Amino acid sequence: MPELPEVETVRKGLQQFMEGQSIGKVEVFTSKLRWKLPESFEKNLSNQTITTIARRGKYLILEVSNGHCLIVHLGMTGSFAIFSTNGFPKYDNSRKDKHDHVVFHLGNGTVIAYNDPRKFGMMDLIPESKLSIYPPLKTLGVEPLGNGFDEKYLKYHLDRRSSPVKNFLLDQKVIAGIGNIYASEALWRAGISPRRKANRISQKKAGLLVTAIRDVLNDAIKSGGSTLRNYRSVAGNLGYFQHQFRVYDQEGEPCSNENCDGQINRIVQTGRSTFYCPSCQK
DNA sequence: ACATGAGCCTGTGGGC
DNA sequence: TGCCCACAGGCTCATG
């Protein structure tokens, strides 16, 4: 389920527990997620210190002391959970879920389990020197919260697409990190119909869309951050938190734009649900 | 070069 | 209660 804000929240959580720590043992219970784990996955990670935890689009990049980078993508159902450290349950056979595929035992006793029922997630291990040529990463477009994303960039790429703007927003090669939920949410905020052809969006609307994307992602990261402060006392599951979506999954509800008396519709675009208000999104 | 659809997997919820 | 179907927030590859 994770889009950029969820992945960023997971990154911060992992950072708190893993950065600067050593990895002791790595247990692999399922060697094939989206793809097979590389040979010597465990060997190259065990007894290494985790130096940095970064994010690029929806990918996590964990660098360890021998120069390898652990690349993680959560797919649609991937998550990490924290165990065996103060405030969290001990990780043992009674705790192990059947979809726990990879478990990291840190030197300080903390256990971090990767769980993924649908196995659409991925993990890979590459040398730091190969990061810039690693295919899944090198094809990614700009970070929507970074400096490279502005009205000029967006308009340039919008003008080169005749597909509906909703589909355009899901293209990771243009903007990295937007998924099906935040595409709908951002278009609602910008007052743009998801069905509008990308190349028929005005300069002014493109500017509004940049702001809408930034705001919706930042707001979601903020609400994830507040969950992050609480999760110590609840459970150790990182990255899943309830948002109040304005259009996503709100079919039939009144539009929450106060100047609008419309109703949220659900349509299907290239096989995926899109939610929008036909009255105020043009 | 682009756009679309299938496939990868398992779980959940609604209708009957 | 059980069964069947539709659907789920991502990505890549094959095909047109």
Side-chain angles (χ1 to χ4, degrees):
Chain A
M1 333 248 165
E3 304 183 31
L4 187 152
E6 291 76 24
V7 178
E8 179 60 18
T9 302
V10 171
R11 189 194 68 77
K12 288 177 180 164
L14 292 181
Q15 188 168 48
Q16 184 178 332
F17 292 96
M18 296 183 96
E19 203 166 84
Q21 300 297 324
S22 67
I23 303 173
K25 185 174 64 169
V26 178
E27 287 183 290
V28 174
F29 296 105
T30 308
S31 61
K32 185 183 175 292
L33 300 174
R34 182 73 167 80
W35 296 291
K36 262 188 81 62
L37 294 183
E39 294 293 323
S40 59
F41 179 82
E42 299 97 312
K43 184 168 158 280
N44 282 323
L45 286 176
S46 49
N47 303 314
Q48 300 302 316
T49 299
I50 301 145
T51 53
T52 59
I53 304 183
R55 179 191 57 75
R56 179 78 173 90
K58 299 173 194 167
Y59 289 86
L60 292 165
I61 305 165
L62 291 79
E63 189 172 352
V64 300
S65 42
N66 63 8
H68 278 88
C69 290
L70 170 62
I71 313 290
V72 179
H73 194 293
L74 302 172
M76 283 169 69
T77 54
S79 66
F80 285 97
I82 312 295
F83 296 93
S84 303
T85 195
N86 48 344
F88 293 94
K90 190 170 161 52
Y91 191 76
D92 56 25
N93 281 340
S94 69
R95 284 282 170 186
K96 189 189 171 300
D97 184 88
K98 65 172 171 174
H99 299 304
D100 284 351
H101 304 308
V102 180
V103 176
F104 301 92
H105 298 261
L106 304 189
N108 65 1
T110 303
V111 175
I112 299 184
Y114 178 74
N115 185 285
D116 187 353
R118 286 177 77 179
K119 291 189 252 183
F120 282 5
M122 67 87 94
M123 286 194 194
D124 202 359
L125 203 53
I126 59 169
E128 198 272 337
S129 59
K130 297 275 167 61
L131 265 185
S132 62
I133 58 163
Y134 186 62
L137 296 177
K138 79 170 182 200
T139 52
L140 291 178
V142 295
E143 285 292 321
L145 299 178
N147 293 331
F149 182 58
D150 56 19
E151 184 180 315
K152 188 179 166 205
Y153 178 89
L154 185 64
K155 183 74 170 105
Y156 176 89
H157 288 278
L158 283 169
D159 285 344
R160 275 151 191 80
R161 283 293 194 85
S162 56
S163 58
V165 61
K166 157 74 175 351
N167 298 350
F168 167 89
L169 289 179
L170 293 179
D171 185 348
Q172 304 299 302
K173 294 192 287 299
V174 182
I175 307 168
I178 299 176
N180 203 42
I181 290 180
Y182 295 110
S184 282
E185 294 292 316
L187 288 167
W188 177 81
R189 289 196 184 210
I192 298 169
S193 169
R195 312 169 66 155
R196 177 171 285 272
K197 308 252 185 254
N199 59 12
R200 294 195 55 252
I201 288 178
S202 68
Q203 184 82 33
K204 188 178 163 212
K205 279 288 193 183
L208 290 176
L209 186 51
V210 168
T211 305
I213 289 169
R214 282 234 172 85
D215 288 352
V216 77
L217 297 178
N218 277 322
D219 287 353
I221 290 172
K222 258 185 223 157
S223 77
S226 60
T227 306
L228 203 60
R229 281 194 294 279
N230 296 333
Y231 72 66
R232 260 181 178 281
S233 57
V234 194
N237 212 350
L238 298 181
Y240 288 81
F241 42 89
Q242 283 301 318
H243 295 296
Q244 203 60 332
F245 298 123
R246 312 301 287 273
V247 286
Y248 185 80
D249 208 18
Q250 304 298 314
E251 183 178 17
E253 297 294 322
C255 179
S256 45
N257 176 348
E258 47 186 66
N259 303 315
C260 176
D261 59 0
Q263 203 180 48
I264 305 309
N265 276 21
R266 173 184 179 271
I267 58 172
V268 175
Q269 295 178 291
T270 54
R272 327 267 325 254
S273 291
T274 303
F275 298 87
Y276 77 115
C277 173
S279 304
C280 66
Q281 292 180 250
K282 298 297 179 190

Coordinates of all heavy atoms in Angstrom, one line a residue, chain A residues 24-64:
Chain A
G24 N 23.5 -8.6 13.1 CA 24.1 -9.9 13.5 C 23.7 -10.9 12.4 O 24.4 -11.0 11.4
K25 N 22.6 -11.6 12.7 CA 22.2 -12.7 11.8 C 21.1 -12.2 10.9 O 20.2 -11.4 11.3 CB 21.7 -13.8 12.7 CG 21.3 -15.1 11.9 CD 21.0 -16.2 12.9 CE 19.8 -16.0 13.7 NZ 19.3 -17.1 14.5
V26 N 21.0 -12.7 9.7 CA 19.9 -12.4 8.8 C 19.3 -13.8 8.5 O 20.0 -14.7 8.0 CB 20.4 -11.7 7.5 CG1 19.2 -11.5 6.5 CG2 21.1 -10.4 7.8
E27 N 18.0 -13.9 8.7 CA 17.3 -15.1 8.4 C 16.4 -14.9 7.2 O 15.6 -13.9 7.2 CB 16.4 -15.5 9.6 CG 17.1 -16.1 10.8 CD 16.1 -16.6 11.8 OE1 15.5 -15.7 12.4 OE2 16.0 -17.8 12.0
V28 N 16.5 -15.7 6.2 CA 15.6 -15.7 5.0 C 14.7 -16.9 5.0 O 15.2 -18.0 4.9 CB 16.5 -15.7 3.7 CG1 15.6 -15.7 2.5 CG2 17.4 -14.4 3.6
F29 N 13.4 -16.6 5.2 CA 12.4 -17.7 5.2 C 11.8 -17.9 3.8 O 11.3 -19.0 3.5 CB 11.3 -17.4 6.2 CG 11.8 -17.4 7.6 CD1 12.0 -16.2 8.3 CD2 12.2 -18.5 8.3 CE1 12.5 -16.1 9.6 CE2 12.7 -18.5 9.6 CZ 12.8 -17.3 10.2
T30 N 11.8 -16.9 3.0 CA 11.3 -16.9 1.6 C 12.3 -16.3 0.7 O 12.6 -15.1 0.9 CB 10.0 -16.2 1.5 OG1 9.1 -16.6 2.5 CG2 9.3 -16.4 0.2
S31 N 12.9 -17.0 -0.2 CA 14.0 -16.4 -0.9 C 13.5 -15.8 -2.2 O 14.2 -15.1 -2.9 CB 15.1 -17.5 -1.3 OG 14.5 -18.5 -2.1
K32 N 12.2 -16.0 -2.6 CA 11.7 -15.3 -3.7 C 10.5 -14.4 -3.3 O 9.5 -14.9 -3.0 CB 11.2 -16.3 -4.8 CG 10.8 -15.7 -6.1 CD 10.2 -16.7 -7.1 CE 9.7 -15.9 -8.3 NZ 8.5 -15.2 -8.0
L33 N 10.7 -13.1 -3.4 CA 9.6 -12.1 -3.3 C 9.2 -11.8 -4.7 O 8.9 -12.8 -5.5 CB 10.1 -10.9 -2.6 CG 10.6 -11.2 -1.1 CD1 11.2 -10.0 -0.5 CD2 9.5 -11.7 -0.3
R34 N 9.2 -10.6 -5.1 CA 8.9 -10.2 -6.5 C 10.0 -10.9 -7.4 O 9.6 -11.5 -8.5 CB 9.0 -8.7 -6.7 CG 8.7 -8.2 -8.1 CD 7.2 -8.3 -8.4 NE 6.8 -7.6 -9.6 CZ 7.0 -8.0 -10.8 NH1 7.6 -9.2 -11.0 NH2 6.7 -7.2 -11.8
W35 N 11.2 -10.9 -7.0 CA 12.3 -11.7 -7.7 C 13.1 -12.5 -6.6 O 12.9 -12.2 -5.4 CB 13.2 -10.8 -8.4 CG 12.6 -10.1 -9.5 CD1 12.1 -10.6 -10.7 CD2 12.3 -8.7 -9.6 NE1 11.6 -9.6 -11.5 CE2 11.6 -8.4 -10.8 CE3 12.5 -7.6 -8.7 CZ2 11.2 -7.1 -11.2 CZ3 12.1 -6.3 -9.0 CH2 11.5 -6.1 -10.3
K36 N 13.9 -13.3 -7.0 CA 14.8 -14.1 -6.1 C 15.8 -13.1 -5.4 O 16.3 -12.2 -6.0 CB 15.6 -15.2 -6.8 CG 14.9 -16.5 -6.7 CD 15.8 -17.6 -7.3 CE 16.9 -18.1 -6.3 NZ 16.3 -18.7 -5.0
L37 N 16.0 -13.3 -4.1 CA 17.1 -12.6 -3.5 C 18.4 -13.0 -4.1 O 18.6 -14.1 -4.6 CB 17.1 -12.9 -2.0 CG 15.9 -12.5 -1.2 CD1 16.1 -12.8 0.3 CD2 15.6 -11.0 -1.3
P38 N 19.4 -12.1 -4.1 CA 20.7 -12.4 -4.7 C 21.4 -13.5 -3.9 O 21.2 -13.6 -2.7 CB 21.4 -11.1 -4.7 CG 20.8 -10.3 -3.6 CD 19.4 -10.7 -3.6
E39 N 22.3 -14.2 -4.6 CA 23.2 -15.1 -3.9 C 24.0 -14.3 -2.8 O 24.3 -13.1 -2.9 CB 24.2 -15.7 -4.9 CG 23.7 -16.5 -6.0 CD 23.1 -17.8 -5.4 OE1 23.7 -18.4 -4.5 OE2 22.0 -18.3 -5.9
S40 N 24.3 -15.0 -1.7 CA 25.1 -14.4 -0.6 C 24.5 -13.2 0.0 O 25.2 -12.3 0.4 CB 26.5 -14.2 -1.0 OG 26.6 -13.3 -2.1
F41 N 23.1 -13.1 -0.1 CA 22.4 -12.0 0.6 C 22.7 -11.9 2.1 O 23.2 -10.9 2.6 CB 20.9 -12.3 0.3 CG 20.0 -11.2 0.9 CD1 19.7 -10.0 0.3 CD2 19.4 -11.5 2.2 CE1 18.8 -9.1 0.8 CE2 18.5 -10.5 2.7 CZ 18.2 -9.3 2.0
E42 N 22.5 -13.1 2.7 CA 22.8 -13.1 4.2 C 24.3 -12.8 4.5 O 24.6 -12.0 5.4 CB 22.4 -14.4 4.8 CG 21.0 -14.8 4.6 CD 20.7 -15.7 3.5 OE1 21.2 -15.4 2.3 OE2 20.0 -16.7 3.6
K43 N 25.1 -13.4 3.7 CA 26.6 -13.3 3.9 C 27.1 -11.9 3.8 O 27.9 -11.4 4.6 CB 27.3 -14.2 2.9 CG 28.8 -14.2 3.1 CD 29.4 -15.4 2.2 CE 30.9 -15.1 1.9 NZ 31.1 -14.2 0.8
N44 N 26.5 -11.1 2.8 CA 27.0 -9.8 2.6 C 26.4 -8.8 3.6 O 26.8 -7.6 3.7 CB 26.7 -9.3 1.2 CG 27.7 -9.9 0.2 OD1 28.9 -10.0 0.6 ND2 27.3 -10.2 -1.0
L45 N 25.4 -9.2 4.3 CA 24.7 -8.2 5.3 C 25.1 -8.5 6.7 O 25.2 -7.6 7.6 CB 23.2 -8.3 5.2 CG 22.6 -7.6 3.9 CD1 21.1 -7.9 3.9 CD2 22.9 -6.1 3.9
S46 N 25.3 -9.8 7.1 CA 25.6 -10.1 8.5 C 26.9 -9.6 8.9 O 27.9 -9.5 8.1 CB 25.5 -11.6 8.7 OG 26.3 -12.3 7.8
N47 N 27.0 -9.1 10.2 CA 28.2 -8.5 10.8 C 28.6 -7.2 10.1 O 29.7 -6.8 10.2 CB 29.3 -9.5 10.8 CG 29.0 -10.8 11.5 OD1 28.4 -10.8 12.6 ND2 29.3 -11.9 10.9
Q48 N 27.6 -6.5 9.5 CA 27.9 -5.2 8.9 C 27.1 -4.2 9.8 O 26.1 -4.4 10.4 CB 27.4 -5.1 7.5 CG 28.1 -6.1 6.6 CD 29.6 -5.9 6.6 OE1 30.1 -4.8 6.5 NE2 30.3 -7.1 6.7
T49 N 27.7 -2.9 9.7 CA 27.0 -1.8 10.4 C 26.2 -1.1 9.4 O 26.6 -0.9 8.2 CB 28.0 -0.9 11.0 OG1 28.8 -1.6 12.0 CG2 27.4 0.3 11.7
I50 N 25.0 -0.7 9.8 CA 24.1 0.1 8.8 C 24.5 1.6 9.0 O 24.4 2.2 10.0 CB 22.6 -0.1 9.2 CG1 22.3 -1.6 9.1 CG2 21.7 0.7 8.3 CD1 21.3 -2.0 10.1
T51 N 24.9 2.1 7.9 CA 25.5 3.5 8.0 C 24.4 4.5 7.6 O 24.3 5.5 8.3 CB 26.7 3.7 7.0 OG1 26.4 3.2 5.7 CG2 27.9 2.8 7.6
T52 N 23.7 4.3 6.5 CA 22.6 5.3 6.2 C 21.4 4.6 5.7 O 21.4 3.5 5.1 CB 23.1 6.2 5.0 OG1 23.4 5.5 3.9 CG2 24.3 7.1 5.4
I53 N 20.2 5.2 5.9 CA 19.0 4.7 5.3 C 18.3 5.8 4.5 O 17.9 6.8 5.1 CB 18.0 4.2 6.4 CG1 18.8 3.1 7.3 CG2 16.8 3.7 5.9 CD1 17.9 2.5 8.4
A54 N 18.3 5.7 3.2 CA 17.8 6.7 2.3 C 16.5 6.2 1.6 O 16.2 5.1 1.7 CB 18.9 7.1 1.3
R55 N 15.9 7.2 0.9 CA 14.7 6.8 0.1 C 14.8 7.5 -1.3 O 15.4 8.6 -1.4 CB 13.4 7.3 0.8 CG 12.2 7.0 0.0 CD 11.0 7.7 0.6 NE 11.1 9.2 0.6 CZ 11.1 10.0 -0.4 NH1 10.9 9.5 -1.6 NH2 11.3 11.3 -0.3
R56 N 14.4 6.8 -2.3 CA 14.3 7.3 -3.6 C 13.0 6.9 -4.2 O 12.9 5.7 -4.4 CB 15.5 6.9 -4.5 CG 15.5 7.4 -5.9 CD 16.0 8.8 -6.0 NE 16.1 9.2 -7.4 CZ 15.1 9.8 -8.1 NH1 14.0 10.0 -7.5 NH2 15.4 10.1 -9.3
G57 N 12.1 7.8 -4.4 CA 10.8 7.4 -4.9 C 10.2 6.5 -3.8 O 10.1 6.8 -2.6
K58 N 9.7 5.3 -4.2 CA 9.2 4.3 -3.3 C 10.2 3.3 -2.8 O 9.8 2.3 -2.2 CB 7.9 3.6 -3.9 CG 6.8 4.6 -4.2 CD 5.7 3.9 -5.0 CE 4.8 4.9 -5.7 NZ 3.9 4.3 -6.6
Y59 N 11.5 3.5 -3.2 CA 12.5 2.6 -2.8 C 13.3 3.0 -1.5 O 13.5 4.2 -1.4 CB 13.5 2.4 -3.9 CG 13.0 1.7 -5.1 CD1 12.3 2.4 -6.1 CD2 13.2 0.3 -5.3 CE1 11.8 1.7 -7.3 CE2 12.8 -0.3 -6.4 CZ 12.1 0.4 -7.4 OH 11.6 -0.3 -8.5
L60 N 13.6 2.1 -0.7 CA 14.5 2.3 0.4 C 15.9 1.8 0.1 O 16.0 0.8 -0.6 CB 14.0 1.6 1.7 CG 12.7 2.1 2.3 CD1 12.1 1.0 3.2 CD2 12.9 3.4 3.0
I61 N 16.9 2.6 0.5 CA 18.3 2.2 0.3 C 19.0 2.2 1.6 O 19.2 3.3 2.2 CB 18.9 3.2 -0.7 CG1 18.1 3.3 -2.0 CG2 20.4 2.8 -1.0 CD1 18.4 4.5 -2.9
L62 N 19.4 1.0 2.0 CA 20.2 0.9 3.3 C 21.6 0.6 3.0 O 21.9 -0.5 2.5 CB 19.6 -0.2 4.2 CG 18.2 0.0 4.8 CD1 17.1 -0.2 3.8 CD2 17.9 -0.9 6.0
E63 N 22.5 1.5 3.3 CA 23.9 1.2 3.0 C 24.6 0.6 4.3 O 24.3 1.1 5.4 CB 24.6 2.5 2.6 CG 26.0 2.2 2.1 CD 26.7 3.5 1.6 OE1 26.1 4.5 1.4 OE2 28.0 3.4 1.3
V64 N 25.4 -0.4 4.0 CA 26.1 -1.0 5.2 C 27.6 -0.8 5.0 O 28.1 -0.4 3.9 CB 25.8 -2.5 5.3 CG1 24.3 -2.7 5.6 CG2 26.2 -3.3 4.1

